[in-house]
Amino acid sequence: MVTRLGPGAEFDLIRRFLAGERLPASDPPPAGVRVGPGDDCAVVAGEGIAITVDMTVEDVHFRRGWIGPAEIGYHAAASAISDLAAMAARPIGILAAVALGPGDEAEVGPALMDGIRAAAAAADATLLGGDLVRSPGPLVVDIVAVGEAPAPVLRSGARPGDEVWVTGTLGAAAAAVAAWLEGGTPPPAARGAFANPTPRVREARWLAERAELTAMVDLSDGIAGDAGHIAAASGVRVVIRAAAVPIAGPAAARPDALQLAAAGGEDYELCFTAAPGTVEPFVAGFRARYGIPLTKVGQVEAGQGAVVLDDRGEPVALAAFQHWSRP
Amino acid sequence: MVTRLGPGAEFDLIRRFLAGERLPASDPPPAGVRVGPGDDCAVVAGEGIAITVDMTVEDVHFRRGWIGPAEIGYHAAASAISDLAAMAARPIGILAAVALGPGDEAEVGPALMDGIRAAAAAADATLLGGDLVRSPGPLVVDIVAVGEAPAPVLRSGARPGDEVWVTGTLGAAAAAVAAWLEGGTPPPAARGAFANPTPRVREARWLAERAELTAMVDLSDGIAGDAGHIAAASGVRVVIRAAAVPIAGPAAARPDALQLAAAGGEDYELCFTAAPGTVEPFVAGFRARYGIPLTKVGQVEAGQGAVVLDDRGEPVALAAFQHWSRP
């Protein structure tokens, strides 16, 4: 699968990166892969190819003091693969473009690449290629995730009357970030949720095969904001009940629990709308299979925008998740 | 084609970026595009989907004093699309991940995106999506180019006895960089070659439909280095005759002409190998159609590595192109 590259320091690092993917010539290539890493492009085939790109920048999306290079790579790749989950696509592979800062070649680079590869492998994605360049300062990791999506679940199909559901629990990763920003050390469950998130690629396909999903997004910016993408794309209003939001343990232990769970970001759980009654029959089976809950958190109405309401039906004030304004 | 996004400053900029691509609902989507920008992923279809990623970093690949933001975007997109040309793929679209530095939101960002869109349009590629993030310092532009490649020309098919050919003339972009590094101002033709390179996507398909191409790469690092990729992938030796290398005017005017033309980088011309005698009949037609020469520069032999030989058959000493060691 791996084409040989010419000489040069940059290619040595790419070679090392690709080494973990090298397969005996007798092995069949991974499903959907016609040309793997090492040529000018990768070539994939399938019935509808889903492609997404996700850029992670040091001191904007993470700090080196928070997580190690392998975790930085894992987080970057998992967050890109999560976009495939949001369409119920089957992951095929990833391409990784990495800019390494001064002195990062010897140890940070290889560890980062190990983390990228681990996240890809966890989602049954192979490494299809990439680009490796120098950065004058910050580490930059840009991941392209590629999957097969014969029947993608879009953001635009929600209809008034649909139910709103979410996988897993929310706010653990944001609790870790909050602890770091306060100068503290996050509890292990919170740290792990941030460092090694699980893109719900299998869960998404399992659900799409059973329930009547009408729209779906993955939660990178918090459900309060991301549900707004469904509302805007579908031309509907999405109403989330605050009391129904499943708050992760590390967030629940904090006074700003709802803020973290609804607008904290970095959860990489799925929020989807579905025709009424078509999800409920599968809640128990989902939990048994994947070990995480499936929770009905609201409904779709005529109108526009997404809103989180308290028990009296009043909108809850939440600070929007904003990478742009983060320190 | 464009799904509506939720509110937020980041989305405003993406919206502005995508505005140039917005089509009336009655228009047919571009060929091969099933889901355009604005959802979690783009979805494309075709007989073999070629995907490549190319990252450009400020002060590594360019300096802001050299070219303006629209040119930075154009160059970045063109260099990624050039990888599609190297496989004789038909461009479908691009995804653009951009990290903007402090203060870049108002003017640099939109101009950069205009340049990206212009390079895509020049290659008949549509904008499929992207990611927009903040950078603590350098501008970073990462372009994913996507095309249809039912019969990709790989790097690995060169055989002893094949001829080695190159499109266009070489060294103009490197002459511009050399002038800048010397503190001077490059001549317009050199500057333009660097700022607005032309990926040879149409030329590649035209050639692949006529001659018997066995391997191809695009020239991003100079023919002396890039021919080494064909040699390594094909398990052959590639011999380039220095006297045959078509040197661009701005490079020819300098004392380091051969160094710039053979190892200067950033040409984005194509180097390919072909079965003997299968290209010659099309040289005149190619020039008439595309306005650039097609030049036989060497041959493929048994052995390994790529070498540039002078008239006495002695290897020419060339400094390798190295982004890693550039100031």
Side-chain angles (χ1 to χ4, degrees), chain A residues 275-315:
Chain A
T278 67
V279 176
E280 193 64 48
F282 303 104
V283 168
F286 182 88
R287 176 153 210 151
R289 187 176 184 94
Y290 296 109
I292 55 171
L294 198 58
T295 308
K296 182 160 62 180
V297 294
Q299 70 276 347
V300 179
E301 301 179 353
Q304 59 183 7
V307 65
V308 180
L309 300 182
D310 65 18
D311 288 343
R312 295 161 304 176
E314 298 294 322

Side-chain angles (χ1 to χ4, degrees), chain B residues 176-201:
Chain B
V177 173
W180 280 315
L181 291 176
E182 290 161 4
T185 300
R191 189 185 185 287
F194 181 85
N196 296 109
T198 301
R200 302 298 183 188
V201 286

Side-chain angles (χ1 to χ4, degrees), chain B residues 1-315:
Chain B
M1 288 308 302
V2 177
T3 306
R4 292 177 61 211
L5 296 163
E10 180 176 348
F11 304 120
D12 289 342
L13 201 47
I14 296 176
R15 253 190 295 266
R16 205 185 310 166
F17 185 22
L18 299 181
E21 296 290 317
R22 196 162 291 154
L23 301 172
S26 58
D27 279 13
V33 179
R34 288 192 186 169
V35 178
D39 215 299
D40 293 289
C41 304
V43 181
V44 300
E47 196 190 328
I49 299 296
I51 306 171
T52 181
V53 61
D54 201 82
M55 187 178 271
T56 300
V57 180
E58 180 177 354
D59 288 337
V60 177
H61 300 90
F62 66 90
R63 294 185 187 171
R64 293 205 198 200
W66 295 357
I67 55 178
E71 292 167 325
I72 293 166
Y74 196 103
H75 182 278
S79 78
I81 291 168
S82 181
D83 282 325
L84 297 179
M87 280 204 157
R90 178 184 70 79
I92 294 174
I94 64 165
L95 294 88
V98 174
L100 294 179
D104 281 347
E105 293 87 346
E107 294 181 8
V108 172
L112 183 83
M113 290 162 170
D114 283 344
I116 292 171
R117 204 165 45 227
D124 290 330
T126 189
L127 189 77
L128 292 170
D131 194 15
L132 184 66
V133 301
R134 190 166 64 84
S135 165
L139 196 58
V140 182
V141 185
D142 196 48
I143 303 288
V144 183
V146 179
E148 184 177 22
V153 180
L154 305 182
R155 295 175 172 185
S156 50
R159 298 158 304 192
D162 284 351
E163 300 166 349
V164 183
W165 290 78
V166 68
T167 64
T169 58
L170 308 181
V177 173
W180 280 315
L181 291 176
E182 290 161 4
T185 300
R191 189 185 185 287
F194 181 85
N196 296 109
T198 301
R200 302 298 183 188
V201 286
R202 294 179 186 82
E203 292 84 344
R205 293 169 67 209
W206 192 91
L207 288 165
E209 287 165 7
R210 287 164 178 79
E212 196 181 319
L213 309 194
T214 53
M216 187 153 62
V217 288
D218 68 315
L219 298 181
S220 54
D221 295 355
I223 193 170
D226 289 323
H229 298 314
I230 289 180
S234 298
V236 297
R237 172 177 164 92
V238 175
V239 179
I240 310 284
R241 286 174 293 112
V245 172
I247 302 180
R254 294 176 50 98
D256 51 355
L258 183 63
Q259 168 70 34
L260 295 176
E266 312 275 2
D267 287 312
Y268 303 111
E269 295 293 346
L270 298 170
C271 174
F272 60 92
T273 59
T278 68
V279 176
E280 193 65 48
F282 303 105
V283 168
F286 181 89
R287 176 152 211 153
R289 185 175 186 94
Y290 297 108
I292 55 171
L294 196 57
T295 309
K296 181 161 62 179
V297 293
Q299 70 275 348
V300 179
E301 300 180 353
Q304 59 182 7
V307 65
V308 180
L309 300 183
D310 65 18
D311 288 344
R312 294 160 305 177
E314 298 294 322

Side-chain angles (χ1 to χ4, degrees), chain A residues 3 6 10 38-44 49-52 55 60 83 87 105 131 134 142 155 229 233 324 326, chain B residues 3 6 10 38-44 49-52 55 60 83 87 105 131 134 142 155 229 233 324 326:
Chain A
T3 307
E10 180 176 350
D39 214 299
D40 293 289
C41 304
V43 181
V44 300
I49 299 297
I51 306 171
T52 182
M55 186 177 274
V60 176
D83 282 325
M87 281 205 157
E105 293 86 347
D131 194 15
R134 189 166 65 84
D142 196 47
R155 296 175 171 184
H229 298 313
W324 288 88
R326 282 169 94 184
Chain B
T3 306
E10 180 176 348
D39 215 299
D40 293 289
C41 304
V43 181
V44 300
I49 299 296
I51 306 171
T52 181
M55 187 178 271
V60 177
D83 282 325
M87 280 204 157
E105 293 87 346
D131 194 15
R134 190 166 64 84
D142 196 48
R155 295 175 172 185
H229 298 314
W324 288 88
R326 283 168 94 186

Side-chain angles (χ1 to χ4, degrees), chain A residues 49-72:
Chain A
I49 299 297
I51 306 171
T52 182
V53 62
D54 201 82
M55 186 177 274
T56 300
V57 180
E58 180 176 355
D59 289 336
V60 176
H61 300 89
F62 66 90
R63 295 185 188 171
R64 294 204 196 201
W66 295 357
I67 54 178
E71 293 168 324
I72 294 166

